[in-house]
Amino acid sequence: MSPDYVRYRDDLEQLQPGEAETTARLTEMMRGFSEAMNTRYRHAVRSVHSKNHGLLVGELEVYEGLPGRLAQGLFARPGRYPVVMRFSTPPGDILPDSVSTPRGLALKIVGPEGAEMVEGHGGEVTQDFVFVNGPNFGQKDAAGFMKGQKPIQLTVNAPEELKVVASLGARLADSLTGGKGKLSPMLRKLGGHPHTHPLGETFYTQLPHRWGDYVGKLSLVPVSAHLRRLKDQHIRVVGETDALRDNIAAVIAREGGEWELKVQLCADERTMPVEDASVLWDEGLSPFLAVARVRVAPQDSARPDKLVYGDDRVSFSPWHAQAAHRPLGAVMRARRAAYRMSADFRREHNDEPMTEPRSQADLPRP
C-alpha cells in the first residue's frame, strides 16, 4: 500500500531567525572565493564546483503511465527534452584529482514553452537539478551551511601543494582508522572520498523541491550495465591531473550511458522535514520512484568547446525551475543568492555570453 504522501503547503517552509543576514554573509563569503580564484587563474570560475570533469549532451524521456503523485510539473505527461549534464567536484579550486573530494553532477533540462517558472526565471524554459554523490546534506540550515564553508574560507589562498599533501594525509588517516577517525571538516572534504569512477555513482539532490502537489527529493541512478559495473571501481589518480575527466571521457566515447531520474516523495512532514536539511529521509517509508530516463549517445565529453560551454557559457542553479519544482527549505533559499552571484561574477569578468538555452540548437553538438 502506498503511503499517504504529504501535500505541498506554503507553511511547510518557515523562515529562520536571522536568515536574510546569514544569506548575505554566505553570499559575500562565496564572492570572496570567486575573487580569490579569479586572481589565481586570471579567469573567473564558479565559487564552488569549479573543476569540470566532462559535459554530456543527451535527452530526457518522461515515462508514460506515471501515477498522479509522480506525474507532476514537467513530468505530468510523456515527453522528450534535450539535456546537458556537467560532472564536477565541489571545491572552487581547480585541483589535481589526487585531492579526492565528493562528486557533483548538474542536470539542465530544456523544457517546453509556456510553463509557469519561479520568480527571476520567468520567460525561460530550463529546469535544473543539482546533485552530489551522497543522500544526506549534513547541515541543518543556512547558518550550518555557512559554517561548513568556514574551513574553505580559511584555506582559500593556501598553496595547491599544501592541499595535495593535506588530502593524502587525510586519506592515510582514514585508512588507518577504517574510516572512523575524527578528521577536521576541511580534511574530510579534501580526502574523504575514495578514488572511484564517477560514472558508477548514484547522485542525489539531498534537499527538497516542490513536486507539483507534493514535495520530493531526487536521485539520478546509472542503469546501463556498463555504468553499473563501474560502481566502486578504483581509478588511478597519482600523476594524473585530470583522471576523472579522462576516465569519464573514455567510457562515454565508447558506449554513452543511461541514467534513471527518481523522486522520493515526502510521506511524513515530521520525520521527513523540509526545513531541517540534515535529516536523511527514510527510504523504507518512501522509496525513490522512477519518473524519467536520461540517455546519452557515445560522444566526446571532454571536447574543448563543451568544456568552455560548461564552464563559461552556462550556469546551473536549482532556482532555474518551473514553479512546480521550486526549491524548498532554508539551504535552498540561501543557494538562490549565492548561485546568482557566482553566475553574475563570471558574466562580469569573462568575455563570454551566458544565456539559458531554449532548444537543442542552443546546446553544443553531442
Side-chain angles (χ1 to χ4, degrees):
M1 181 178 296
S2 297
D4 187 14
Y5 295 109
V6 173
R7 293 275 179 161
Y8 171 79
R9 310 184 314 273
D10 288 343
D11 67 359
L12 289 174
E13 287 191 285
Q14 298 289 332
L15 290 178
Q16 307 298 301
E19 184 174 317
E21 180 184 356
T22 298
T23 297
R25 290 169 59 198
L26 174 65
T27 303
E28 188 61 28
M29 181 186 294
M30 293 284 194
R31 184 175 180 86
F33 299 167
S34 292
E35 290 172 344
M37 295 305 110
N38 186 45
T39 299
R40 179 180 301 177
Y41 302 125
R42 300 183 182 277
H43 186 83
V45 299
R46 287 171 169 82
S47 303
V48 292
H49 289 273
S50 293
K51 190 166 186 181
N52 186 344
H53 299 295
L55 190 92
L56 283 59
V57 181
E59 180 183 74
L60 177 138
E61 179 187 5
V62 177
Y63 289 148
E64 295 184 7
L66 293 177
R69 65 187 182 276
L70 300 182
Q72 301 284 324
L74 179 64
F75 306 88
R77 58 190 59 86
R80 295 173 182 265
Y81 305 104
V83 300
V84 288
M85 302 166 66
R86 180 183 185 268
F87 287 88
S88 65
T89 35
D93 309 58
I94 302 175
L95 297 168
D97 291 344
S98 57
V99 180
S100 186
T101 70
R103 285 78 185 275
L105 189 159
L107 173 69
K108 184 179 293 291
I109 306 166
V110 183
E113 297 278 355
E116 180 186 0
M117 311 303 285
V118 300
E119 183 181 356
H121 197 50
E124 304 290 358
V125 300
T126 48
Q127 172 67 55
D128 294 2
F129 294 115
V130 178
F131 302 87
V132 292
N133 63 326
N136 194 24
F137 187 72
Q139 284 131 3
K140 180 179 179 178
D141 52 22
F145 184 23
M146 184 173 68
K147 184 178 179 181
Q149 302 303 310
K150 285 285 188 182
I152 300 174
Q153 184 183 39
L154 293 172
T155 59
V156 68
N157 290 311
E160 178 180 299
E161 293 79 9
L162 179 61
K163 294 180 182 181
V164 172
V165 171
S167 175
L168 292 173
R171 295 282 298 145
L172 177 60
D174 239 19
S175 66
L176 292 175
T177 62
K180 297 179 181 179
K182 292 185 178 180
L183 298 178
S184 73
M186 188 62 200
L187 289 179
R188 179 70 66 184
K189 288 181 179 180
L190 286 177
H193 195 282
H195 296 301
T196 52
H197 205 298
L199 292 179
E201 302 275 7
T202 292
F203 290 85
Y204 302 85
T205 61
Q206 295 186 333
L207 302 168
H209 289 255
R210 183 172 178 177
W211 193 258
D213 293 333
Y214 302 91
V215 173
K217 297 182 180 183
L218 287 83
S219 67
L220 194 66
V221 184
V223 292
S224 301
H226 69 284
L227 297 185
R228 294 200 308 270
R229 286 194 294 269
L230 296 176
K231 179 176 171 57
D232 298 327
Q233 183 181 106
H234 180 78
I235 59 173
R236 182 178 182 273
V237 298
V238 176
E240 305 288 337
T241 300
D242 295 317
L244 301 186
R245 181 186 299 173
D246 294 344
N247 277 270
I248 289 172
V251 172
I252 297 300
R254 289 194 308 268
E255 301 181 81
E258 294 189 13
W259 292 259
E260 205 160 47
L261 185 67
K262 298 184 175 185
V263 62
Q264 180 190 29
L265 297 178
C266 178
D268 181 340
E269 62 187 275
R270 183 182 59 83
T271 62
M272 305 172 76
V274 165
E275 288 296 346
D276 188 343
S278 66
V279 175
L280 181 64
W281 288 11
D282 185 356
E283 291 188 48
L285 183 61
S286 178
F288 282 91
L289 302 172
V291 295
R293 184 165 292 223
V294 175
R295 295 185 177 91
V296 170
Q299 60 191 266
D300 183 355
S301 61
R303 204 174 64 228
D305 67 295
K306 283 184 170 181
L307 298 179
V308 169
Y309 179 83
D311 288 343
D312 297 336
R313 295 178 182 168
V314 71
S315 64
F316 295 91
S317 169
W319 288 93
H320 295 162
Q322 292 190 5
H325 302 300
R326 181 171 64 84
L328 301 175
V331 176
M332 282 293 207
R333 293 192 296 272
R335 278 180 165 180
R336 186 174 198 167
Y339 278 58
R340 185 189 302 123
M341 178 282 303
S342 179
D344 287 347
F345 188 92
R346 287 183 292 133
R347 189 180 291 111
E348 292 164 7
H349 288 79
N350 296 337
D351 187 21
E352 293 283 358
M354 188 182 295
T355 58
E356 286 297 290
R358 304 194 69 87
S359 71
Q360 182 78 55
D362 296 327
L363 304 179
R365 61 180 176 82

